[in-house]
Amino acid sequence: MNWQDKLSDTRNNLRNLNAAIPDTARAFGALGKTVKEGGSLDYKTKELIALGMSIAARCEPCITLHTEALINTGASREEVSDVLAMAIQMGGGPSMMYAAKALECFDELSV
């Protein structure tokens, strides 16, 4: 399965979950909006952090969503690569494997 298909599947799964638990989904969405709009860091920086955490947590669906968000902010491959290096340093071998997935995702979704 390619990354575009994984992104589509993730969105479909989230829509299904949101329909099943709408109050929780709205509350989580409000939390996300508050976190992304508030504070002293800009949105792109917050998404770079989220990508690093996605790798460390080994969450492939998270990688797809945050990679897409970073592409939409205009993040460069070099910026993403710096995050991947930091995630590897913090998470060791397993993070290295998920960093490789994240770079593949970035390259595919950037086309």
Side-chain angles (χ1 to χ4, degrees):
M1 180 181 295
N2 66 40
W3 287 101
Q4 193 62 51
D5 290 341
K6 289 179 185 186
L7 184 59
S8 179
D9 285 351
T10 297
R11 285 197 180 110
N12 288 335
N13 290 337
L14 286 173
R15 279 188 209 99
N16 186 41
L17 179 64
N18 292 347
I21 53 169
D23 292 339
T24 302
R26 275 191 295 279
F28 187 75
L31 173 63
K33 183 177 181 193
T34 299
V35 169
K36 290 174 185 175
E37 292 177 356
S40 59
L41 298 176
D42 66 9
Y43 176 71
K44 182 168 83 171
T45 300
K46 291 176 181 184
E47 285 297 331
L48 289 165
I49 292 167
L51 178 61
M53 293 179 74
S54 298
I55 293 163
R58 301 178 193 128
C59 179
E60 197 168 287
C62 300
I63 289 170
T64 62
L65 293 171
H66 293 293
T67 298
E68 181 187 46
L70 284 164
I71 291 166
N72 291 336
T73 69
S76 69
R77 192 173 195 268
E78 291 76 20
E79 289 172 313
V80 169
S81 294
D82 278 349
V83 168
L84 304 182
M86 194 69 216
I88 291 167
Q89 190 270 323
M90 295 301 294
S95 288
M96 184 125 182
M97 299 303 115
Y98 277 83
K101 287 178 177 280
L103 188 59
E104 177 188 50
C105 179
F106 183 87
D107 288 344
E108 182 181 314
L109 294 180
S110 291
V111 175

